[in-house]
Amino acid sequence: MEQAQMRTWAEIDLNALAHNYRALRSNLEPGCRFVGVVKANAYGHGAIPVAKKLEELGAEYLAVACLDEAVELREAGIHAPILILGGTPGQFAAELLRYDITQTVFDLSTAKEYSAAAQKADKLLKVHIKADTGMGRLGFFGKDRMEEIKASCALPGLDCEGLFTHFADADGSEEYTMGQFTDFLDLRAALAKEGVTFKINHCAASAAMLHYPCTHLDMVRPGIALYGHYPDEGSVGLDGPGLIPVMTLKTRVAAVRTLPAGSCISYGRTHVLGRESRLAVLPVGYADGLHRGLSNRMEVAFPSGRAPVVGWVCMDLCMADVTDLPEVQAGDVAEVFGKILPVEEKSDALDTISYECLTSVSRRVPRVYGNGEG
Ligand SMILES: *Cc1c(COP(=O)(O)O)cnc(C)c1O
């Protein structure tokens, strides 16, 4: 699509992605592997171009949430190993084998189904064993976990390449995180004592990677940091070079209208003009991923300055008050978030996290790939 035709688009700066990759990589010991987490369409940035770039940069592994996401990458010609972090029902084991995908295993009965399918296909299915050390989500846990993991690893047809866990509060409590980490190391040691060892032991996503280098082990799994966002305030700058946001959401002014004092703006008349005002109508709304909760509590940025969004955000449109930016006219481009307006301003206002704002940018919004120019 021609840029001129686009009402709202997301610019994806692949040079920023490369910068973030290198910044994060520079903190790793030699030999530590790097999984680029590209689940959820690469946090909204577009899974295929991002995965291709990460592969080119030298990421040893890619991670996704589910089988469909993995198959999408394989069909796009991605050859790097791909780890599915979530579950895949046993009946789809043949797909995992056909596409050479690494599957997370977190229960013995599914492991048995994988084993049977792998034997039938006369292949080895690569798996990573997941332990729950305090996240309360997926993973072997409880008093039987040793026996269940040992039994899983003993199944024919499975190549148990990895052992991993996930931290619940790596951006919060050091004590809790170190408790989880110790539990993981204890489990690894206990399994090793029984002869069960793994080539790749891993536990650090972005927050642990930045806060606790001791948790890097054989591989790290950053997602949000790759896209240029710190998982928490306390981790800002811990990478060294500084991360650069990869996505910039932009919109093109559809119309500029001068309305008299007393005019009501948008549904519900939550904003009434106190003076004669110039309103820029922006073709971006909640169906594009601009959360309606940002109504009356966000700004957009023009080259000449910031303008507040007034009234409810509609499905396809919203209005910015540009009375104090007299040069703004129809056809001008405004940044919704990105390099000028950090997405964290939006996520903070919504009492959520950057992850949610990024992954909310909808399918209707074209992704435009570039190298940071313009
Ligand atoms: C999403 C996810 C990651 C990446 O997390 P970030 O906080 O984005 O770095 C790593 N590991 C697992 C298991 C995940 O689900």
Side-chain angles (χ1 to χ4, degrees):
M1 199 181 330
E2 290 279 327
Q3 190 124 344
Q5 264 174 271
M6 292 189 292
R7 46 191 282 286
T8 289
W9 63 98
E11 289 179 5
I12 308 299
D13 177 355
L14 294 175
N15 271 354
L17 182 75
H19 167 91
N20 299 333
Y21 173 83
R22 294 194 184 102
L24 295 167
R25 183 111 224 177
S26 71
N27 293 296
L28 302 181
E29 294 290 330
C32 182
R33 297 170 183 80
F34 192 112
V35 198
V37 179
V38 295
K39 62 191 180 189
N41 198 29
Y43 292 43
H45 295 66
I48 293 168
V50 167
K52 285 193 169 156
K53 186 73 185 179
L54 291 172
E55 194 175 39
E56 177 194 315
L57 287 164
E60 287 87 354
Y61 238 110
L62 297 168
V64 296
C66 56
L67 180 60
D68 286 355
E69 292 181 346
V71 169
E72 182 191 11
L73 295 181
R74 279 285 178 265
E75 294 199 325
I78 305 283
H79 298 294
I82 300 172
L83 172 64
I84 296 180
L85 297 165
T88 300
Q91 76 220 62
F92 296 106
E95 264 67 35
L96 295 170
L97 290 159
R98 177 172 341 128
Y99 288 99
D100 190 21
I101 292 162
T102 310
Q103 176 59 47
T104 294
V105 165
F106 45 81
D107 70 84
L108 181 55
S109 61
T110 310
K112 286 178 177 162
E113 292 180 327
Y114 294 155
S115 169
Q119 286 177 280
K120 197 166 149 214
D122 199 19
K123 286 184 177 172
L124 274 182
L125 177 66
K126 231 187 254 173
V127 302
H128 285 213
I129 302 288
K130 179 153 197 195
D132 179 6
T133 57
M135 173 71 185
R137 203 166 69 174
L138 296 175
F140 289 97
F141 73 103
K143 61 173 176 28
D144 296 331
R145 73 178 181 182
M146 268 288 291
E147 292 313 312
E148 288 170 359
I149 293 173
K150 268 169 59 186
S152 300
C153 293
L155 291 168
L158 299 188
D159 169 11
C160 295
E161 178 191 56
L163 176 70
F164 77 109
T165 193
H166 192 53
F167 295 126
D169 201 15
D171 53 356
S173 165
E174 175 168 0
E175 191 187 350
Y176 192 81
T177 304
M178 288 305 118
Q180 280 194 267
F181 187 50
T182 303
D183 185 35
F184 182 70
L185 294 180
D186 289 348
L187 174 66
R188 182 179 69 162
L191 285 164
K193 220 166 161 185
E194 311 256 338
V196 180
T197 58
F198 300 87
K199 189 168 103 187
I200 310 180
N201 298 276
H202 52 109
C203 53
S206 298
M209 187 180 176
L210 290 164
H211 287 289
Y212 308 113
C214 63
T215 64
H216 293 175
L217 302 182
D218 304 314
M219 186 159 86
V220 292
R221 304 191 303 265
I224 197 71
L226 264 179
Y227 304 105
H229 301 278
Y230 291 95
D232 59 289
E233 282 278 315
S235 62
V236 173
L238 287 181
D239 57 295
L243 303 174
I244 303 173
V246 175
M247 184 193 293
T248 302
L249 186 65
K250 292 189 173 175
T251 189
R252 189 183 301 280
V253 176
V256 174
R257 311 175 60 229
T258 300
L259 296 177
S263 301
C264 300
I265 306 300
S266 196
Y267 292 117
R269 299 178 292 134
T270 58
H271 187 81
V272 180
L273 298 180
R275 57 173 175 171
E276 183 183 272
S277 306
R278 295 176 76 242
L279 278 299
V281 182
L282 304 174
V284 58
Y286 59 78
D288 300 294
L290 190 68
H291 206 286
R292 190 165 173 273
L294 290 167
S295 302
N296 293 309
R297 44 203 310 212
M298 65 167 271
E299 293 177 328
V300 294
F302 290 94
S304 50
R306 293 175 170 226
V309 165
V310 293
W312 282 113
V313 171
C314 309
M315 186 184 292
D316 315 308
L317 298 164
C318 65
M319 273 65 83
D321 189 325
V322 293
T323 311
D324 298 327
L325 302 175
E327 47 297 280
V328 171
Q329 51 181 351
D332 284 1
V333 175
E335 177 180 309
V336 179
F337 64 73
K339 292 194 170 89
I340 303 169
L341 299 177
V343 72
E344 288 78 4
E345 285 184 6
K346 266 87 187 166
S347 54
D348 287 352
L350 289 165
D351 204 10
T352 184
I353 50 179
S354 58
Y355 303 60
E356 191 177 357
C357 290
L358 295 171
T359 55
S360 295
V361 174
S362 71
R363 207 176 55 157
R364 181 163 79 180
V365 178
R367 272 65 171 175
V368 178
Y369 294 88
N371 51 21
E373 316 302 318

